[in-house]
Amino acid sequence: MAADESMRQIEDAVELAVRRDEQFTEARRQIDALTATERSPGGAMEVTVGSDGNVLDVRCTDQIGALSPREIADTVRSCVQGAQAGIAREVERILRATAPGDPLTEHLVANAHQAFPAPAPDEPAPDVQTSAPGRRRIGGPGNDGEDPDDDWNGRPVLSRTPR
């Protein structure tokens, strides 16, 4: 009797594992087919990303011309992050519908939200500065585009000879 009970438990465990594998394989197929699109608040830009978070498409309207370079950069970043966060939400929806309460579902949902967090509201773009001596960030404060050390004399940058 004990051997029969053990065999039944093993068969049940195998059946459960096969069913779980089928569920997660189907979920993976659905997730792989996902795309998400985010449109900027004013409608100047729209960005579409795939399930891996990579940018698939960027579309701009004529409204983009009214934005400063900084606003364009912020809009791109915000749209990409928003679309990626949309992927995370869809991954969660698919997984929770496929295998609710499964520990693997919880793990995968947490990973998706960690990989593609929702953008912080009104997060300023990073102000990247270089620490190399004699270098300035283009368009930064106090930089009018003029470089007093510029002596290229119309030659390509790579043709400059050392002093």
Side-chain angles (χ1 to χ4, degrees), residues 23-84:
Q23 289 173 323
F24 281 102
T25 298
E26 174 58 20
R28 181 64 184 180
R29 187 192 63 71
Q30 291 176 35
I31 290 168
D32 286 345
L34 285 176
T35 62
T37 300
E38 180 78 8
R39 182 172 298 183
S40 64
M45 181 176 292
E46 182 178 278
V47 174
T48 300
V49 300
S51 63
D52 57 2
N54 288 331
V55 175
L56 301 176
D57 191 29
V58 176
R59 294 178 187 249
C60 299
T61 66
D62 290 339
Q63 295 170 338
I64 200 80
L67 301 177
S68 71
R70 175 59 152 250
E71 290 170 322
I72 292 170
D74 289 347
T75 301
V76 169
R77 178 190 43 77
S78 177
C79 284
V80 168
Q81 288 176 338
Q84 289 172 336

Side-chain angles (χ1 to χ4, degrees), residues 12-156:
D12 289 347
V14 168
E15 183 181 325
L16 180 63
V18 168
R19 191 171 45 245
R20 186 175 186 234
D21 178 63
E22 290 169 352
Q23 289 173 323
F24 281 102
T25 298
E26 174 58 20
R28 181 64 184 180
R29 187 192 63 71
Q30 291 176 35
I31 290 168
D32 286 345
L34 285 176
T35 62
T37 300
E38 180 78 8
R39 182 172 298 183
S40 64
M45 181 176 292
E46 182 178 278
V47 174
T48 300
V49 300
S51 63
D52 57 2
N54 288 331
V55 175
L56 301 176
D57 191 29
V58 176
R59 294 178 187 249
C60 299
T61 66
D62 290 339
Q63 295 170 338
I64 200 80
L67 301 177
S68 71
R70 175 59 152 250
E71 290 170 322
I72 292 170
D74 289 347
T75 301
V76 169
R77 178 190 43 77
S78 177
C79 284
V80 168
Q81 288 176 338
Q84 289 172 336
I87 291 290
R89 287 189 302 273
E90 283 300 298
V91 166
E92 179 175 7
R93 182 189 61 75
I94 290 167
L95 290 171
R96 292 205 189 282
T98 300
D102 189 299
L104 182 56
T105 294
E106 299 307 316
H107 176 74
L108 294 172
V109 165
N111 282 351
H113 284 291
Q114 182 179 358
F116 303 132
D122 298 326
E123 178 182 292
D127 190 14
V128 179
Q129 304 250 350
T130 179
S131 60
R135 304 245 178 183
R136 286 181 272 171
R137 185 173 54 88
I138 295 173
N143 184 359
D144 58 2
E146 302 277 337
D147 184 353
D149 296 325
D150 185 12
D151 63 347
W152 302 111
N153 294 326
R155 293 179 291 152

